[in-house]
Amino acid sequence: QLQASGGGLVQAGGSLRLSCAASGRTFSPYYMGWFRRAPGKEREFVAAISWSGGSTYYADSVKGRFTISRNNAKITVYLQMNSLKPEDTAVYYCAAGYRAPTTAMGYDYWGQGTLVTVSS
């Protein structure tokens, strides 16, 4: 089970840090990532990180503003979001898996989502 937290309401230009922790089982997902679904839109990839942390992947829309990191001892992934924009408003989902890091089909486990609202 993946538990996401850290969402909330923030003004444009502000920052939030999302966290996602695994619980209830022991596993070592190679990739951990974040996706989001904005109102009226399809789910989209945001960021992902490999087991070692040596490889990170970002959607073009968040490059330079978001940073993904992970703590393998805690099986936790973080998403530091800076310079937030109203278009970042969405439900953010964390995911864990072993295959392609930038597509939803590459993930086997999903968190429940946390809402991020950015006001203008």
Side-chain angles (χ1 to χ4, degrees), residues 33-101:
W34 291 92
F35 290 73
R36 67 186 181 187
R37 187 191 298 273
K41 296 186 177 181
E42 295 187 352
R43 179 175 54 187
E44 64 175 358
F45 166 74
V46 176
I49 187 168
S50 63
W51 175 256
S52 67
S55 296
T56 55
Y57 310 82
Y58 294 96
D60 289 342
S61 58
V62 306
K63 280 182 181 177
R65 300 188 298 122
F66 291 10
T67 302
I68 189 170
S69 60
R70 66 189 287 172
N71 182 326
N72 290 336
K74 298 180 179 180
I75 315 181
T76 301
V77 63
Y78 306 96
L79 186 67
Q80 177 66 42
M81 305 186 295
N82 299 328
S83 302
L84 283 161
K85 305 174 181 180
E87 51 263 44
D88 294 318
T89 295
V91 176
Y92 284 71
Y93 299 89
C94 62
Y98 305 90
R99 295 167 286 169

